[in-house]
Amino acid sequence: MKNTLIVLIGPTGVGKTELSLSIAEHFHTCIVSSDSRQLYADLKIGTAAPTPNQLARVPHHFVGTLKLTDYYSAAQYEAEAMLKLEELFRKKKIVVLTGGSMMYVDAICKGIDDIPTVDKETRELMLRRYEEDGLEKLCAELKILDPEYYKIVDLKNPKRVIHALEICYMTGKTYTSFRTQTQKERPFRIIKIGLTREREELYERINQRVDEMMKDGLLEEAKSVYPYRHLNSLNTVGYKEMFMYLDGEWTLDFAIEKIKQNSRIYSRKQMTWFKRDQDIQWFHPNQTEEIMNYLNNQLS
């Protein structure tokens, strides 16, 4: 049997974690995380990272390996995860990849463009520019330096805008010039399973999950990382809203409702991204037997 990567994806709160554990246990294998925030050791509650019990059930990779101050990119993830998969496939024929970070999933399944790594000086310069001048001014600069990318980028996403400008300033070329979007060949087979629920059902699960995070200590976790709030690792739903409460800008109840709302918005963005991929076979998370039968048929 050819080495196979089972990719389990779906929106936040849909139920990927439990099913990924069941699939990994069924095939006696491990899980590679494709969640860009579960990488950070100090963000356990707000990222719904695997619990100690779940980590004991199945070995996980790329969970809790970074400090908040560590710089990390999708390109680094691609390089490191591909090396890890090469190592794992020497021992196992099947590995499970799961997570909701769309770019990280694509980094493994399709590969991402070979964009230069931004040096420390440029990164710090652009962070200062963002803090001093604001996003609107940086967007105006991007419109001049790379009008093609300006037309398609999410102008409300500071990470995307800043990264494009970093490349422009560091290389003297447009960010667009590096975006070839050529799919890379992978030395393993990929089977993609997508999990989906009716919108009302998913939203109710998201709301309940946020309430559980609050009970589990999300506010305390946000307080512990508050001194690092300017870092990109904390430009994340759950923490941003708690910081607004800690700043005295919002009430706690309002901050919690905004976490729920922004999580629902993010789930829609995820589904829009995933729905473009015709290779995904979609199931309801409760269809465990059908999913296992599908995987067994694909692998036979």
Side-chain angles (χ1 to χ4, degrees):
M1 184 176 70
K2 187 176 182 180
N3 290 339
T4 301
L5 184 68
I6 297 173
V7 179
L8 182 67
I9 50 187
T12 186
V14 76
K16 296 185 294 294
T17 300
E18 188 54 44
L19 186 59
S20 69
L21 292 165
S22 298
I23 292 173
E25 287 172 330
H26 177 78
F27 291 109
H28 307 288
T29 189
C30 58
I31 292 172
V32 172
S33 170
S34 56
D35 188 301
S36 65
R37 291 302 184 257
Q38 288 183 3
L39 280 159
Y40 295 97
D42 293 323
L43 306 183
K44 294 183 177 68
I45 298 170
T47 65
T51 65
N53 285 341
Q54 290 167 337
L55 293 172
R57 281 174 61 185
V58 173
H60 283 66
H61 303 278
F62 297 94
V63 172
T65 56
L66 298 180
K67 297 180 292 185
L68 288 173
T69 52
D70 287 338
Y71 175 78
Y72 204 72
S73 68
Q76 283 174 270
Y77 174 75
E78 179 187 6
E80 292 177 13
M82 288 299 294
L83 285 173
K84 176 56 69 174
L85 286 170
E86 183 181 343
E87 174 193 323
L88 294 172
F89 279 133
R90 291 195 202 108
K91 306 168 190 172
K92 304 176 185 297
K93 286 290 184 184
I94 299 170
V95 175
V96 176
L97 177 90
T98 191
S101 297
M102 297 85 82
M103 283 191 67
Y104 278 41
V105 173
D106 278 359
I108 300 305
C109 296
K110 301 176 182 178
I112 57 177
D113 296 320
D114 293 322
I115 294 170
T117 300
V118 178
D119 60 58
K120 185 179 179 183
E121 291 75 19
T122 304
R123 197 163 62 243
E124 290 177 349
L125 169 66
M126 291 311 302
L127 182 59
R128 282 200 306 274
R129 291 281 318 283
Y130 172 55
E131 290 171 348
E132 293 170 5
D133 299 337
L135 183 59
E136 190 174 343
K137 189 167 182 180
L138 295 186
C139 288
E141 277 187 33
L142 183 62
K143 187 175 184 179
I144 295 168
L145 294 174
D146 191 347
E148 194 173 337
Y149 188 62
Y150 175 86
K151 291 176 185 174
I152 61 171
V153 70
D154 178 1
L155 295 172
K156 294 182 180 178
N157 187 326
K159 181 181 178 183
R160 301 273 183 268
V161 173
I162 290 169
H163 184 55
L165 285 172
E166 287 171 342
I167 297 300
C168 292
Y169 282 119
M170 193 181 77
T171 67
K173 300 177 181 178
T174 64
Y175 182 61
T176 300
S177 67
F178 293 98
R179 285 167 45 88
T180 62
Q181 297 182 311
T182 304
Q183 184 160 336
K184 298 176 185 175
E185 290 292 323
R186 293 309 193 197
F188 46 80
R189 184 184 178 195
I190 297 172
I191 301 174
K192 295 179 182 176
I193 300 289
L195 300 184
T196 185
R197 295 177 186 266
E198 292 294 330
R199 182 171 286 192
E200 285 186 13
E201 181 188 11
L202 177 64
Y203 286 0
E204 182 58 32
R205 283 179 58 88
I206 289 172
N207 293 342
Q208 289 176 357
R209 178 168 157 176
V210 172
D211 289 337
E212 287 168 10
M213 285 179 175
M214 292 304 299
K215 289 176 187 172
D216 290 342
L218 177 59
L219 177 56
E220 288 69 28
E221 186 172 77
K223 286 178 181 176
S224 71
V225 299
Y226 184 78
Y228 304 97
R229 60 172 302 178
H230 64 283
L231 296 174
N232 181 61
S233 53
L234 287 164
N235 182 26
T236 303
V237 174
Y239 300 98
K240 292 188 296 184
E241 296 83 358
M242 285 293 101
F243 295 154
M244 291 295 284
Y245 163 68
L246 293 172
D247 285 340
E249 297 287 332
W250 292 348
T251 66
L252 183 57
D253 286 344
F254 185 77
I256 293 169
E257 286 306 311
K258 291 299 285 185
I259 295 174
K260 293 176 181 178
Q261 180 187 14
N262 290 333
S263 297
R264 296 193 297 265
I265 292 169
Y266 182 57
S267 75
R268 294 200 296 273
K269 288 182 180 178
Q270 289 173 302
M271 286 305 295
T272 299
W273 182 290
F274 291 136
K275 284 282 176 73
R276 296 181 301 187
D277 190 336
Q278 299 301 309
D279 295 330
I280 300 173
Q281 189 74 25
W282 291 95
F283 295 91
H284 189 282
N286 293 345
Q287 293 179 286
T288 308
E289 187 175 345
E290 290 90 337
I291 291 169
M292 292 303 184
N293 287 339
Y294 175 77
L295 288 172
N296 287 326
N297 288 336
Q298 291 292 309
L299 292 163
S300 61

